[in-house]
Amino acid sequence: MNIWTSKSIELANQRDYLDQLFKVYPMSTNLNREITKTDETELRNFIQNRNNTELVKFLLEQVKNKKLVFPFKDSYVRYLFNDFSAIERNPQTVNRLAGKIYSMGADETLRAMIRPKETNQQIGPLFKNWIGKGVFGVRVVSDQNEFISSNENIIFNSGDAAMVQLARNYLGYNRIREKGLDFIAKFNGKYVLGEAKFISDLGGNQNNQLDDAIGTMRSNMNIIDSEVIAIAIVDGTPYIRNNGKQHKILTSASDNEVIISSLLLSDYLFSL
């Protein structure tokens, strides 16, 4: 296990880790989404008139165009969302979904549709936002040429496509993904790139998030003239000492694999 991974585990288990982490991932209480009076009236009319097909179409359109939430979770909803023509071909599925709405009633359906985004849907841009504040005391740029040509310690912070483009064009990165790079820096002449993940729970999709970060760290890199180091910037439940998969991934990593908390990233970079 790398020394920085060990330090990250110690930080999470012996100090005010979550209190400090809030600076990187500040979770806010989201407000309810909004539905117009016209749409609310239309929804109530569909429910009152028991028009199953039009009701389901209306709900899916609200999700697609108005960014509301389908009132309940159902494995078949996403299929219909991606192929509206399937609504006409599958009347029994439509009737089943509509029946669930009728049992909920108009008021409960409306409350479900406008519920706030879940916390884990906020996390995506927070790490980059934190980096963009200049928290490491070095220049943060979004211009590729400015980053590559600089002889100083510097950080490149931009959109997903630009991050991947720079890594592929200049740093030998060849992982076939359009997303996944959240951090690119140059310190003491060495390039560092990585994917940042805040793993908020054990198991399921959260394990996949950790696998993504590890996969980026273990990407095969094309050889270039400069030294390029791929790391995994991980926070959250993997640092909890237990016998679960997440913690085992950390503790079984090799000495040269850097899995590190964002809170120690500055110290790591200046140690290069």
Side-chain angles (χ1 to χ4, degrees):
M1 180 169 51
N2 185 273
I3 182 62
W4 292 102
T5 306
S6 178
K7 287 183 176 182
S8 297
I9 294 172
E10 291 301 318
L11 170 64
N13 286 275
Q14 294 186 6
R15 294 171 57 186
D16 55 341
Y17 172 59
L18 296 181
D19 290 350
Q20 293 186 54
L21 195 61
F22 193 78
K23 298 174 184 176
V24 184
Y25 297 102
M27 298 296 143
S28 60
T29 301
N30 286 329
L31 300 176
N32 283 343
R33 306 164 202 247
E34 294 184 359
I35 186 170
T36 66
K37 267 296 182 186
T38 301
D39 288 337
E40 179 181 342
T41 300
E42 195 169 358
L43 173 65
R44 291 184 182 277
N45 287 336
F46 282 134
I47 293 175
Q48 183 176 356
N49 296 330
R50 296 296 198 266
N51 189 328
N52 295 0
T53 299
E54 293 304 314
L55 171 61
V56 171
K57 283 184 179 178
F58 172 81
L59 292 172
L60 291 172
E61 286 169 353
Q62 292 293 305
V63 174
K64 186 172 186 177
N65 300 323
K66 304 295 180 65
K67 307 303 182 184
L68 300 182
V69 183
F70 200 85
F72 56 89
K73 294 185 182 297
D74 188 285
S75 298
Y76 292 83
V77 167
R78 289 304 300 180
Y79 189 102
L80 297 177
F81 177 86
N82 288 299
D83 182 8
F84 269 48
S85 68
I87 294 174
E88 302 292 344
R89 302 194 306 271
N90 296 275
Q92 296 305 315
T93 297
V94 170
N95 293 344
R96 179 176 62 79
L97 296 175
K100 174 66 174 176
I101 297 297
Y102 301 146
S103 70
M104 293 171 64
D107 290 340
E108 185 180 345
T109 298
L110 281 166
R111 282 194 295 271
M113 291 173 67
I114 64 173
R115 65 182 182 268
K117 289 183 180 180
E118 297 177 8
T119 300
N120 60 9
Q121 293 180 299
Q122 304 178 45
I123 291 175
L126 296 182
F127 175 83
K128 284 186 179 179
N129 292 346
W130 177 67
I131 293 296
K133 294 176 181 178
V135 291
F136 295 168
V138 302
R139 276 197 305 142
V140 180
V141 300
S142 59
D143 182 89
Q144 296 188 12
N145 291 329
E146 184 178 1
F147 174 77
I148 294 297
S149 62
S150 175
N151 293 319
E152 303 173 350
N153 291 342
I154 193 169
I155 294 173
F156 180 75
N157 197 33
S158 188
D160 291 339
M163 301 279 279
V164 171
Q165 182 186 53
L166 182 144
R168 286 179 177 166
N169 290 346
Y170 297 102
L171 305 183
Y173 180 73
N174 61 10
R175 193 177 187 196
I176 306 175
R177 297 180 73 202
E178 292 303 317
K179 297 183 179 180
L181 286 180
D182 301 301
F183 185 75
I184 301 178
K186 179 162 55 175
F187 273 69
N188 298 322
K190 299 177 182 179
Y191 291 98
V192 179
L193 59 83
E195 186 169 353
K197 294 293 184 183
F198 179 16
I199 314 298
S200 59
D201 201 356
L202 301 171
N205 183 58
Q206 296 297 304
N207 283 354
N208 295 336
Q209 296 289 308
L210 178 58
D211 289 342
D212 282 345
I214 299 298
T216 296
M217 179 187 69
R218 291 175 176 166
S219 298
N220 291 322
M221 308 286 287
N222 296 327
I223 298 175
I224 65 171
D225 291 337
S226 301
E227 182 177 355
V228 180
I229 306 168
I231 66 175
I233 306 164
V234 174
D235 281 294
T237 53
Y239 295 127
I240 299 174
R241 290 190 174 106
N242 55 31
N243 293 319
K245 176 182 177 181
Q246 292 180 4
H247 194 66
K248 285 182 178 178
I249 288 175
L250 266 60
T251 56
S252 62
S254 66
D255 288 346
N256 63 344
E257 292 182 325
V258 179
I259 306 171
I260 187 171
S261 167
S262 58
L263 299 176
L264 296 177
L265 186 54
S266 177
D267 290 345
Y268 167 73
L269 293 170
F270 281 103
S271 75
L272 293 175

